[in-house]
Amino acid sequence: MIRTQGLVCTYAGAQPLRFPDVDLPQGDRLLVQGRSGSGKSTWLSLVAGLRTPTAGQACVAGQALDGLRGSALDAWRAQAIGFLPQRLHLSHALSVHDNLALAYFAAGLPRDDAAIAQALHPLGVGELGARYPAQLSGGQAQRVALARAVLLRPAVLLADEPTASLDDEAAAQARDLLQQCCRACGASLVVATHDRRVHQALPGAQVLDLNE
Ligand code: ADP
Ligand code: MG
């Protein structure tokens, strides 16, 4: 679940970004839409506890974020939030398998190599564990990043422009995979996008419109 109240983020020297309130039950889907620069990525970073709001509060996966700091916040995020950033942030120094193992390290959990293989397999990248990110196609890299995001069965999966650079067929696949992964672990899915194709493909999703 995600519940926000009066969230504001002010970057130095800029007008405050004021966000409408959200109340998203666990397992439901949310589309965050708005033109470029409207604050979609900023909203995701507030909900992930990556950025502290100037005002307002967020409760995510049962946790009031203003009650967490430092390493406690990092550990909470590593377990409760799956994040698929627009730039995938795979470590190029590590194999695919070890990129996923980092999720355990971040959460302070012992690494589970069997679970890593099981996360890669349904996304069609089960054979690629020994490769390095530079040896992957764009679509493969996105699937690896998605496997990493859902590895610890997060309560909330945040995806930032997951289809922006994809053709119609790949975009449809990416949307389906996001929804499958969320159903499999009961996660709420949040997709930030200006891509009309996603709007049409998430029927019944709540909408947070940042253009208003
Ligand atoms: P979107 O994801 O909808 O394109 P962003 O959340 O990235 O929007 O940005 C919202 C506004 O905040 C934009 O005007 C952007 O320039 C500004 N902004 C984003 N990140 C920063 C930052 N780290 N420092 C200063 N301004 C920022
Ligand atoms: Mg953005």
Side-chain angles (χ1 to χ4, degrees), residues 1-37:
M1 51 72 85
I2 299 175
R3 201 170 299 134
T4 71
Q5 243 187 340
L7 278 184
V8 180
C9 180
T10 310
Y11 292 112
Q15 291 292 319
L17 295 164
R18 298 179 193 282
F19 296 101
D21 293 348
V22 167
D23 187 354
L24 186 77
Q26 185 55 39
D28 280 12
R29 297 168 302 166
L30 176 70
L31 200 60
V32 183
Q33 67 180 29
R35 62 181 179 279
S36 180

Side-chain angles (χ1 to χ4, degrees), residues 29-212:
R29 297 168 302 166
L30 176 70
L31 200 60
V32 183
Q33 67 180 29
R35 62 181 179 279
S36 180
S38 61
K40 302 181 295 295
S41 298
T42 299
W43 190 86
L44 293 183
S45 66
L46 294 173
V47 164
L50 289 164
R51 186 174 286 289
T52 306
T54 320
Q57 43 248 305
C59 184
V60 182
Q63 176 67 51
L65 297 192
D66 55 4
L68 284 178
R69 294 273 180 283
S71 58
L73 177 60
D74 289 339
W76 168 82
R77 183 188 311 111
Q79 288 218 339
I81 301 290
F83 198 49
L84 188 62
Q86 189 167 7
R87 300 171 64 200
L88 300 174
H89 296 303
L90 295 172
S91 169
H92 284 256
L94 297 176
S95 68
V96 163
H97 190 92
D98 286 346
N99 264 281
L100 269 68
L102 274 185
Y104 290 104
F105 184 70
L109 295 170
R111 89 187 244 166
D112 182 340
D113 289 314
I116 291 172
Q118 279 165 22
L120 291 168
H121 179 73
L123 291 168
V125 286
E127 309 301 310
L128 305 180
R131 291 221 196 151
Y132 284 78
Q135 300 168 315
L136 303 176
S137 72
Q140 288 169 337
Q142 192 184 45
R143 285 160 186 249
V144 167
L146 178 56
R148 181 183 57 180
V150 297
L151 180 62
L152 300 184
R153 303 181 74 81
V156 176
L157 177 63
L158 306 173
D160 198 354
E161 305 277 7
T163 58
S165 57
L166 303 180
D167 63 34
D168 284 354
E169 195 186 334
Q173 273 178 11
R175 277 190 319 258
D176 290 348
L177 289 174
L178 283 167
Q179 296 190 80
Q180 271 170 36
C181 285
C182 284
R183 269 198 296 275
C185 55
S188 298
L189 173 62
V190 179
V191 178
T193 187
H194 64 268
D195 185 344
R196 300 299 311 177
R197 299 173 300 184
V198 178
H199 296 204
Q200 288 149 13
L202 286 184
Q206 271 193 45
V207 175
L208 173 61
D209 188 348
L210 300 183
N211 284 332
E212 288 170 352

